[in-house]
Amino acid sequence: TVEAGLKTRELASRRQAVAFGCGPGSFTGVRLAAAATQAIAFAAGVGVVPVISSRALALAAGSKSVAKGTGRIITLIRSRKDLYYLAAYAMRDGIPEVVLADRLCERMPILLEIEKLDDWFVAGSRPDWWPSDAQVDETINQSADEICTLALVSLQTSGALDAAEAL
């Protein structure tokens, strides 16, 4: 910032909030993201915008889901050992909307909201208990682009939280 001739206060005044992936996911990774976000937000004097990690993954998978003709996405995020977070989203105007909120699973749950897995695009990490005939695209990862896109949506609807609420 010094090389660009910008002072810290000038940088802080240009920021509205700091966004971060708030989970679900590994406990340590989520805590590190929240702590780093909180430190940056306190230093910059701005708020924080937590973004649900499975929703960011669904956004990353959105174009492939639409290409498949479904616009519906199931996300699988490994938590620890044999536990996985499962969520379902429907793409609406390019943004994933919750159909089934994240739930921690150690085996295939009964999914009343989902009639046939074939009607859904599945992204994330394949659990051992996932049906062998149901595909899972393990190549898709969430990135800062998805976190920022969803943070902007959140800022427009509900605004930022106080930095102390990041943890």
Side-chain angles (χ1 to χ4, degrees), residues 2 6 27 30 40 43 58 62 66 73 81 125 127-128 132 147-148 150:
V2 174
L6 298 174
F27 177 79
V30 171
I40 294 166
V66 171
I73 302 156
K81 201 171 178 185
S125 301
D128 290 340
S132 60
I147 297 290
C148 289
L150 294 172

Side-chain angles (χ1 to χ4, degrees), residues 15 18 20 31-48 162-167:
R15 292 192 181 108
V18 179
F20 70 105
R31 295 288 290 184
L32 283 172
T37 298
Q38 190 176 45
I40 294 166
F42 276 133
V46 298
V48 298
D162 185 81
E165 295 181 55
L167 290 175

Side-chain angles (χ1 to χ4, degrees), residues 112-134:
L112 301 176
E113 301 84 354
I114 299 168
E115 292 180 27
K116 293 186 327 182
L117 284 176
D118 291 348
D119 295 338
W120 294 78
F121 184 86
V122 184
S125 301
R126 177 189 279 281
D128 290 340
W129 45 259
W130 193 254
S132 60
D133 60 339

